[in-house]
Amino acid sequence: MIWGAAFTTLFFTGIVAIIILLLFWEVTRPIVFQILGVVIGVVVTLAIKSILFVVFGKLNYAAFYRRRPLVNNISVVALEAWHLGLTVLFVVARLVSLLVAAALHAGRVDMSVLTESAGAIGPIDLDPLPASYRKDLLLADAHRHPFIERLGAMYLMKIKH
């Protein structure tokens, strides 16, 4: 039990020492700032994409039902085309977050690394993509289900009359 905590402490001490070395050594400082500039640019791009995704979601969806399918399809295609360029970054970011979660749970004996809450540190979820994937599947299924379509038509008729 003490060895897990000791190895985790040494691992994170080494990571912090490498980061400080790269930031303060004059040879690697320009390279780090170039990488930092690219990371800031990608983060700003992802923030704009996330904001657009939320705005389009609020305009086009009512719960799991699409209000305007044509506008929704166009916005989803546009966002997916944008997403193709950022796919590699998503894979790398997800890999890093999963490695961080695994490193944080390396010395723990009270929970397994593969549990549902292993990717969470307090209220922060390091990997929210599986939950988003399930929600997206529900959205796709809910729109195509005949019962939901009939129920939506009944509600629209109730509002109209």
Side-chain angles (χ1 to χ4, degrees):
M1 190 140 138
I2 193 164
W3 293 109
F7 285 131
T8 303
T9 303
L10 286 174
F11 179 70
F12 279 109
T13 304
I15 288 176
V16 169
I18 289 171
I19 290 172
I20 290 174
L21 173 73
L22 291 175
L23 282 175
F24 290 110
W25 193 26
E26 288 143 6
V27 175
T28 59
R29 187 181 297 169
I31 298 168
V32 170
F33 283 145
Q34 284 179 345
I35 293 171
L36 190 62
V38 170
V39 168
I40 289 172
V42 169
V43 167
V44 168
T45 304
L46 288 175
I48 291 170
K49 180 185 178 277
S50 298
I51 290 169
L52 286 175
F53 191 74
V54 168
V55 167
F56 284 135
K58 289 191 185 284
L59 291 176
N60 294 328
Y61 286 105
F64 287 126
Y65 191 75
R66 294 191 292 180
R67 285 190 259 173
R68 292 180 276 172
L70 178 65
V71 175
N72 182 46
N73 288 340
I74 292 171
S75 66
V76 166
V77 167
L79 288 173
E80 285 301 319
W82 191 359
H83 183 69
L84 281 175
L86 300 174
T87 301
V88 174
L89 178 70
F90 277 120
V91 170
V92 170
R94 192 164 182 208
L95 174 71
V96 168
S97 69
L98 291 175
L99 287 176
V100 167
L104 288 174
H105 291 285
R108 294 188 67 173
V109 294
D110 60 335
M111 74 183 313
S112 174
V113 177
L114 301 176
T115 61
E116 189 74 29
S117 63
I121 302 173
I124 300 170
D125 192 12
L126 291 177
D127 191 24
L129 291 179
S132 299
Y133 182 70
R134 277 186 241 125
K135 289 177 189 175
D136 195 33
L137 283 176
L138 283 174
L139 282 170
D141 280 344
H143 184 69
R144 293 187 182 99
H145 198 279
F147 178 72
I148 298 295
E149 289 181 4
R150 286 193 186 108
L151 190 63
M154 286 175 18
Y155 285 151
L156 289 174
M157 293 297 284
K158 187 175 182 181
I159 291 172
K160 184 177 179 183
H161 297 290

